[in-house]
Amino acid sequence: MKHTFTLCCSLLILGCSREGIRTPHQTGSDTTVAAGQPSRDMLTPMLTYEQRQGREIYLRYCSVCHGERGGADGFNTYNLDPKPHTLADSAYVAAISDAALTQVIGFGGRGVNRSVLMPGYQWTLNRDRISYVVSFVRVLARNAEIKQ
């Protein structure tokens, strides 16, 4: 009886502590790091709350075409003609105001006389969430500028 109780307690403790012992495969985090490039998780602490929220939204909706780092190299890019513009081009992104980026994200390409292939997200994302994406797009451009 005593051994059964000890065994049950040990399993319970191990089961509870298992949450804290995760392998990279269990977390789904980006652990592959190219030479000189920090992983996505390494950038997280350096981002503000708005930028972290924007990153999550961007990765869900935008990275399919614009790529994880904004290089217009998302997995769906080969299907698109014209190709999406790179968001890692710091000069291009710096020339666009926050209001213009908000319009492009909200109304899509068609709404701002650009490619009709870019969908609008005004019905999917509220204003705050769109502004978070704008904040993160600025981070992508800034990181590209630092790497040059």
Side-chain angles (χ1 to χ4, degrees):
M1 180 76 171
K2 182 178 178 184
H3 295 294
T4 306
F5 179 74
T6 305
L7 179 63
C8 288
C9 287
S10 298
L11 290 175
L12 181 63
I13 290 169
L14 285 173
C16 291
S17 65
R18 178 108 174 107
E19 278 299 308
I21 307 171
R22 290 189 173 194
T23 65
H25 301 292
Q26 290 171 323
T27 61
S29 65
D30 182 13
T31 57
T32 56
V33 180
Q37 293 183 346
S39 74
R40 192 175 10 164
D41 291 336
M42 292 170 67
L43 290 175
T44 301
M46 296 183 281
L47 300 176
T48 65
Y49 172 80
E50 289 81 10
Q51 293 165 343
R52 285 192 313 270
Q53 295 298 314
R55 185 194 72 181
E56 295 305 318
I57 297 165
Y58 175 88
L59 290 174
R60 181 173 185 174
Y61 295 106
C62 311
S63 67
V64 176
C65 298
H66 289 283
E68 274 192 31
R69 299 185 187 277
D73 57 354
F75 72 85
N76 194 36
T77 303
Y78 76 93
N79 286 323
L80 304 175
D81 187 26
K83 302 292 182 204
H85 202 289
T86 179
L87 300 175
D89 182 351
S90 57
Y92 175 76
V93 174
I96 303 172
S97 69
D98 286 352
L101 280 173
T102 300
Q103 281 187 321
V104 170
I105 295 167
F107 299 119
R110 175 175 286 163
V112 294
N113 295 323
R114 297 283 191 169
S115 172
V116 298
L117 300 176
M118 180 179 170
Y121 291 98
Q122 68 180 349
W123 305 114
T124 307
L125 304 173
N126 63 30
R127 285 182 187 232
D128 289 337
R129 295 182 73 187
I130 290 174
S131 70
Y132 296 160
V133 175
V134 170
S135 294
F136 184 68
V137 167
R138 298 283 180 208
V139 169
L140 289 173
R142 187 172 63 236
N143 286 345
E145 186 175 271
I146 292 169
K147 290 177 187 173
Q148 291 177 352

